[in-house]
Amino acid sequence: MRPCFLVVDNEYPGSISTRKLVLESAKLNVLTAYTADEAIRTVQRFPNIDGVVLDTQLKGRSCGELIEQLRSAQTNMPIITVSPTGHDPCGGEQYHVSNFDPKQLLEAVRKISPTRMSYVMSRENEISSSANNP
């Protein structure tokens, strides 16, 4: 089963989130929320989400407050904070990446869900091998 992550992004609905594209390109399932309230509702509706990728510049609520509310909805929710400054303004999250570094984002996802990511990678290798050896 592929890991599923919620991307909480400051983009407008209908625009393309680069974070979402990075995760989808890595063959992950991705849900998207554009507001803090939408993120909380999504975590409540989908309790088996593997983690959250949170834009620290989300409008309307501090990232620390949103993290607290997300974890109230789902205890021990792994959260990857993403900021353009390279430091974590939310207060010491376990996973933090720079805004424009897809490799850092995928590495954080691998740390959160190593077994499921290994499965995804092995399936991709099988598909590539069978496509190259008809």
Side-chain angles (χ1 to χ4, degrees):
M1 179 178 219
R2 295 179 189 275
C4 181
F5 279 79
L6 170 63
V7 174
V8 185
D9 209 330
N10 221 10
E11 302 290 329
Y12 296 104
S15 66
I16 298 173
S17 164
T18 54
R19 292 172 202 96
K20 180 179 178 180
L21 286 175
V22 167
L23 296 177
E24 287 176 336
S25 295
K27 308 298 184 207
L28 295 145
N29 294 319
V30 181
L31 301 169
T32 309
Y34 298 98
T35 67
D37 290 337
E38 186 179 6
I40 293 163
R41 285 192 306 271
T42 301
V43 168
Q44 290 169 337
R45 287 182 55 209
F46 299 97
N48 293 325
I49 292 172
D50 292 287
V52 175
V53 177
L54 173 62
D55 182 343
T56 61
Q57 296 181 323
L58 193 66
K59 295 175 185 152
R61 200 167 297 172
S62 75
C63 58
E65 181 183 356
L66 177 55
I67 288 169
E68 186 178 303
Q69 291 171 334
L70 289 169
R71 290 207 170 124
S72 291
Q74 187 174 335
T75 307
N76 299 321
M77 167 71 73
I79 296 173
I80 301 168
T81 55
V82 182
S83 73
T85 60
H87 74 280
D88 179 13
C90 299
E93 278 312 298
Q94 185 174 4
Y95 306 99
H96 177 75
V97 300
S98 175
N99 227 13
F100 302 108
D101 194 336
K103 288 180 184 178
Q104 280 185 7
L105 177 57
L106 291 176
E107 184 57 33
V109 167
R110 281 187 196 98
K111 288 177 183 176
I112 289 171
S113 192
T115 303
R116 292 172 91 184
M117 283 300 290
S118 293
Y119 170 77
V120 169
M121 297 308 291
S122 69
R123 290 294 297 144
E124 286 304 306
N125 291 337
E126 287 174 23
I127 291 167
S128 293
S129 293
S130 64
N132 292 331
N133 299 315

